[in-house]
Every structure is written in C-alpha cells, then in structure tokens.
Amino acid sequence: MQELIGNQFQKMAIVGLDCLVSGSQELDSFERIIYEGKQNFAPINYDLNPSWKVPLPQIENLSPPQKLMLKVADNTLKSANLSEETPRHQILILLR
C-alpha cells in the first residue's frame, strides 16, 4: 500500500497566499487584524482597477464577486513570485 501511495501522488508546495475578508483587502492587513484582536465587519470594497491580461469586455461582464476572486487569484500568483516560464499546468489556485 505504501508503495502505491508513493508512486501515485506528487508532492505539492504552497508558495503563494492571499485573502480578502470584510475589513481587509489583502493578507497582510488580515494578519494585523488577527494580532490586534479586532473584529472588522465592514462592506467589501468592490472598486477595482484590474491590470489583468484579460480582454476588457470580458472583465466588464463579470459580477463584482467574480472580479474579487480574480483579484485574490492575481495577488496569490504575485506573492508566489513565479516566473513567466513556469508551466501553467503546475499552478493551482484554490478559492474558498
């Protein structure tokens, strides 16, 4: 059984993180909120200036929550410091 598991799964490394929660637009400010013991219940800021490589008409058709998901995914990729040569099939972004 151990031999099967060893051959079936590849190792994975978490190299980038980001989050967007009420009162925090990125991971660093969320961390500060936790350490300061604050509870920030505030509306989420939907004002975005996207710099993504997605055609503008496609971005304009997205709902505000979809745009926020793209923002978190983009920040996650930036925090991972991946090069342009990184094979796309080796990248996974989980949004929850």
Side-chain angles (χ1 to χ4, degrees), residues 2-18:
Q2 192 73 335
E3 187 175 303
L4 176 64
I5 292 172
N7 292 332
Q8 189 175 9
F9 300 105
Q10 294 182 0
K11 293 182 180 181
M12 182 185 341
I14 298 172
V15 296
L17 293 171
D18 193 45

Side-chain angles (χ1 to χ4, degrees), residues 19 30 48 59 67 70 83 85:
C19 76
F30 179 64
L48 297 172
I59 290 176
K67 290 178 183 178
L70 276 178
S83 71
E85 291 80 35

Side-chain angles (χ1 to χ4, degrees), residues 23-83:
S24 171
Q25 295 291 312
E26 73 268 332
L27 190 60
D28 290 339
S29 63
F30 179 64
E31 182 182 30
R32 277 193 304 278
I33 289 170
I34 291 173
Y35 284 117
E36 293 171 359
K38 294 181 180 177
Q39 292 187 8
N40 292 332
F41 298 101
I44 293 177
N45 179 8
Y46 286 102
D47 296 328
L48 297 172
N49 269 331
S51 61
W52 307 308
K53 297 177 182 177
V54 178
L56 187 59
Q58 289 181 3
I59 290 176
E60 290 173 347
N61 291 330
L62 295 176
S63 69
Q66 288 172 319
K67 290 178 183 178
L68 290 177
M69 287 187 340
L70 276 178
K71 176 184 177 182
V72 171
D74 186 52
N75 289 345
T76 300
L77 288 171
K78 287 177 182 172
S79 76
N81 293 319
L82 299 174
S83 71

Side-chain angles (χ1 to χ4, degrees), residues 81-96:
N81 293 319
L82 299 174
S83 71
E84 291 289 325
E85 291 80 35
T86 303
R88 298 299 180 238
H89 70 275
Q90 293 181 353
I91 299 172
L92 170 68
I93 296 177
L94 298 174
L95 298 169
R96 181 167 180 180

